[in-house]
Amino acid sequence: MRTFYGTDLPNPLMLGTAQYPSPAILEQAFRESGAGVATVSLRREGAGGAGQTFWQMISDLNVLILPNTAGCHTVKEAVTTAHMAREVFGTDWIKLELIGHTDSLQPDVFQLVEAARILTDDGFQVFPYTTDDLIVGERLLEAGCEVLMPWGAPIGSGRGLNNEYALRAMRAEFPDTPLVVDAGIGLPSHAAHAMELGYDAVLLNTAVARAGEPATMARAMKLAIEAGQLAHQADPIEARDMAEASTPVIGKAFLT
């Protein structure tokens, strides 16, 4: 597995912490998932009371924390939120979300690149939530990012990998860059597919948090990601348009 800003992940699953029915179910889901990273949105309310209890629970999970700038729509808002997150969580990691379209929650890639450059210059280690556009990916790397997180599909849609061609192209274009499929995963098969394409990790939230049995789905995602990772390492066969007999003709008995 590749390192993320010099850090080895214990598991290629990154799991969000929003929308769970209760803190207890969230904790159970994390235990079952084996996730190595928890993504956490910074609430603008003061830390204390229920918020303090939540942060303590996340800390007790003993996973890496990846704060995010969810809900930000401008460079200034995202940069300010990132600085607040670094102060609260004590990490230079930041998942940079900068939303440009209300319905699809598609990233505003122009502001994303600008914010990434500012935050990198400020010492942040930026995980940019981006589209699967190769040029945008190149610009983000030039801005100082060492990780790219292209979407599979719109956040929370559960549609899986909408554009496999683009994701394959991104993997081929950036062979030495850690790549994470972020958003749109709805089923374990989607997560497995991402890993089969050679991606280094998968970030998901809604598929587990909103499932009827979050802990069960979390375990399913863990197993699917492991299977997809192993399948990629095994160098799978190429798809064919025609059949290919598995039994050789040479040596076959002929009846007369």
Side-chain angles (χ1 to χ4, degrees):
M1 179 181 295
R2 301 178 201 270
T3 62
F4 291 75
Y5 291 103
T7 298
D8 293 319
L9 300 188
N11 185 301
L13 174 58
M14 301 179 176
L15 190 58
T17 55
Q19 305 184 64
Y20 290 84
S22 72
I25 291 176
L26 184 156
E27 183 175 4
Q28 185 181 14
F30 262 86
R31 303 295 185 195
E32 290 292 331
S33 73
V37 174
T39 61
V40 181
S41 299
L42 179 68
R43 302 303 180 186
R44 290 171 176 78
E45 307 91 69
Q52 188 62 43
T53 302
F54 175 78
W55 305 139
Q56 185 59 53
M57 182 192 67
I58 296 298
S59 178
D60 291 343
L61 292 173
N62 195 30
V63 296
L64 296 166
I65 303 298
L66 177 60
N68 67 41
T69 62
C72 292
H73 294 265
T74 67
V75 171
K76 181 178 180 180
E77 188 179 16
V79 170
T80 300
T81 301
H83 279 277
M84 293 170 63
R86 179 158 66 180
E87 183 175 344
V88 170
F89 298 108
T91 178
D92 290 327
W93 279 17
I94 191 72
K95 178 188 171 185
L96 181 59
E97 291 185 33
L98 228 164
I99 302 303
H101 190 265
T102 303
D103 292 332
S104 67
L105 301 182
Q106 179 170 327
D108 181 332
V109 296
F110 304 100
Q111 292 198 91
L112 183 69
V113 172
E114 182 182 351
R117 181 173 289 107
I118 292 170
L119 290 173
T120 298
D121 289 345
D122 285 343
F124 284 90
Q125 297 174 330
V126 179
F127 292 67
Y129 167 60
T130 183
T131 62
D132 48 26
D133 185 283
L134 297 179
I135 305 304
V136 175
E138 186 66 41
R139 295 294 181 269
L140 287 167
L141 295 179
E142 290 173 356
C145 298
E146 296 181 15
V147 176
L148 296 175
M149 302 179 73
W151 64 350
I155 293 171
S157 67
R159 295 181 58 85
L161 309 185
N162 269 356
N163 193 339
E164 180 182 335
Y165 168 81
L167 292 173
R168 285 184 181 275
M170 183 164 273
R171 178 71 284 174
E173 182 71 15
F174 307 115
D176 300 321
T177 300
L179 298 181
V180 182
V181 169
D182 178 9
I185 299 297
L187 294 170
S189 56
H190 300 157
H193 193 187
M195 299 304 292
E196 288 167 359
L197 294 179
Y199 276 69
D200 301 291
V202 171
L203 195 158
L204 57 92
N205 187 169
T206 308
V208 169
R210 298 291 294 275
E213 295 288 342
T216 301
M217 182 60 78
R219 178 166 175 75
M221 290 293 184
K222 173 185 178 180
L223 296 174
I225 287 174
E226 181 181 357
Q229 188 176 36
L230 289 173
H232 178 71
Q233 293 172 359
D235 190 16
I237 64 172
E238 294 291 335
R240 295 169 53 93
D241 292 328
M242 302 296 291
E244 181 180 12
S246 57
T247 302
V249 176
I250 297 176
K252 179 181 178 182
F254 290 92
L255 301 178
T256 59

